[in-house]
Amino acid sequence: MSNCIFCSIVAGDIPSQKVYEDERFLAFLDIFPASKGHTLVIPKEHHVDIHAIPADTYGAMASVAKNVADLLMNKLLSEGTTIMQMNREAGWQTVFHLHMHVIPRWSGDNLHKPWDIKAATDEELEAVLQEIQRL
């Protein structure tokens, strides 16, 4: 896709700091890192989001993200890893080429969970389940 920044990175028109590359996927350092080593994993083929990619390709991408997470933990000696993958504007996606964030984590790194944890009631869960199961 000609106006996609990630497609331009794949094509070599925009430079990147490559962490990993194979025939189908590319992983490179995020230019707006949440932490040291924050890496983006993308398919080389343009897919807008999780709803547009074949499930087997998404699974292969998740496997690459796991390998990148292991690499970063081993090389940067991080204490943990957060992997995020956002979809569509309401889901916080800002670049509309599917990508996974692999974020090395350390105690006290000042990153925060994106939501407050609050238990749902049994009634709320049942209502959602009914909505999902409705024909």
Side-chain angles (χ1 to χ4, degrees):
M1 177 170 267
S2 62
N3 61 348
C4 172
I5 190 168
F6 289 172
C7 287
S8 295
I9 289 171
V10 168
D13 298 333
I14 296 175
S16 68
Q17 302 296 323
K18 293 179 186 176
V19 172
Y20 172 86
E21 183 174 20
D22 65 24
E23 62 281 347
R24 296 172 65 197
F25 302 99
L26 175 65
F28 54 92
L29 295 176
D30 193 320
I31 63 170
F32 299 107
S35 71
K36 181 173 91 174
H38 180 167
T39 299
L40 301 177
V41 176
I42 68 169
K44 288 183 174 180
E45 183 176 278
H46 185 85
H47 299 281
V48 173
D49 60 27
I50 194 171
H51 307 289
I53 191 169
D56 61 333
T57 305
Y58 187 83
M61 183 173 138
S63 180
V64 169
K66 187 261 190 278
N67 292 338
V68 168
D70 290 345
L71 172 71
L72 295 174
M73 182 175 278
N74 290 329
K75 295 296 187 175
L76 300 178
L77 305 177
S78 58
E79 298 170 7
T81 305
T82 296
I83 296 180
M84 297 182 74
Q85 196 280 298
M86 290 81 87
N87 297 281
R88 300 186 178 173
E89 216 171 309
W92 303 336
Q93 185 177 6
T94 57
V95 175
F96 297 94
H97 181 124
L98 181 71
H99 57 288
M100 287 184 178
H101 296 259
V102 180
I103 306 169
R105 301 295 306 277
W106 289 267
S107 297
D109 62 14
N110 293 321
L111 296 179
H112 305 282
K113 293 178 186 173
W115 60 87
D116 294 325
I117 296 174
K118 178 185 168 204
T121 67
D122 289 340
E123 293 79 20
E124 290 170 327
L125 294 174
E126 183 61 33
V128 171
L129 183 58
Q130 290 299 319
E131 193 172 343
I132 291 168
Q133 293 177 339
R134 188 174 328 145
L135 294 177

